[in-house]
Amino acid sequence: MLGHRRLVVRLLLVVVAMFGFGYALVPLYDVFCKVTGINGKTAKTASEVSMATDEQRIVTVEFISYVPQGLNWKFGPKVNRVKVHPGETLQVDFSASNFTARRGTVQAVPSVSPGLAANHLKKVSCFCFEQQTLAPGEQQDMPLFFYVDPELPEDINTLTLAYTLFAVEGAELNESETAQTRADGEVSNDAAL
């Protein structure tokens, strides 16, 4: 009987430890990514305009956008890539269209690869800082003003800025309609257009 109690107590301790580890995983991952710089997350607030430009170097910035399956929106960059001197501020426009029958609100969440370059892509102004609400059938152009930090490591010559569009509220979901824009500018489901 005493052996069964010890076993039950040990199993309960294992369950509590597993729950605690699972609960702590997200904050630990965030700390790990912040320390190593490999998370690909960009700043959530605007950066100051760069005062210095490195005219001797050119960096390619590619743009990719994703719309999850079931969100009947079209979203993507108007250009797929640009070449920029580090420190030079550029504007790139993205376009969003709501193909649902009702008003919808979405949020674009950015990530940068390689992850080590995430801290070097500076957004001066970005549609991703705020939620976007569109009426049924409405289309909206959304500007992104950014620059690449001149301190970007020399071995990184290409950055990819990817945005994933998420429904916040009121976005009509339909599993059969999907729009997924890729770097080549093609849309995966013509019905969503």
Side-chain angles (χ1 to χ4, degrees):
M1 190 74 156
L2 186 61
H4 291 307
R5 265 194 197 151
R6 284 185 182 162
L7 179 62
V8 169
V9 168
R10 286 181 182 165
L11 289 174
L12 285 173
L13 287 174
V14 167
V15 168
V16 169
M18 289 172 56
F19 177 78
F21 180 73
Y23 187 76
L25 239 139
V26 171
L28 288 174
Y29 177 76
D30 286 342
V31 169
F32 172 78
C33 290
K34 188 172 186 176
V35 168
T36 60
I38 60 171
N39 62 357
K41 293 181 181 176
T42 62
K44 295 180 182 178
T45 57
S47 296
E48 295 291 321
V49 175
S50 176
M51 295 300 171
T53 302
D54 182 354
E55 298 286 340
Q56 304 303 313
R57 186 173 175 203
I58 294 179
V59 176
T60 301
V61 181
E62 300 175 333
F63 304 99
I64 300 174
S65 63
Y66 299 99
V67 177
Q69 183 172 350
L71 182 61
N72 194 12
W73 285 57
K74 181 181 176 188
F75 167 67
K78 291 193 170 187
V79 297
N80 294 325
R81 70 181 47 84
V82 294
K83 294 193 181 287
V84 61
H85 295 288
E88 173 187 10
T89 301
L90 283 182
Q91 175 180 345
V92 172
D93 290 324
F94 282 69
S95 178
S97 300
N98 177 358
F99 290 103
T100 67
R102 56 186 231 205
R103 187 176 188 82
T105 301
V106 293
Q107 177 80 46
V109 177
S111 66
V112 174
S113 64
L116 294 173
N119 292 332
H120 298 283
L121 184 85
K122 306 294 186 178
K123 296 180 303 246
V124 177
S125 176
C126 182
F127 56 88
C128 64
F129 295 149
E130 299 174 358
Q131 297 175 353
Q132 307 295 321
T133 301
L134 278 78
E138 183 179 4
Q139 183 272 333
Q140 177 177 319
D141 289 340
M142 303 175 298
L144 161 67
F145 291 90
F146 76 97
Y147 67 92
V148 175
D149 189 343
E151 299 297 318
L152 178 72
E154 290 289 330
D155 62 331
I156 300 175
N157 297 313
T158 302
L159 307 176
T160 301
L161 174 57
Y163 283 101
T164 303
L165 199 66
F166 291 101
V168 175
E169 59 180 308
E172 185 176 296
L173 294 179
N174 180 340
E175 289 298 324
S176 67
E177 297 176 328
T178 303
Q180 184 176 26
T181 307
R182 303 197 185 280
D184 60 5
E186 293 179 9
V187 175
S188 62
N189 184 349
D190 293 334
L193 296 174

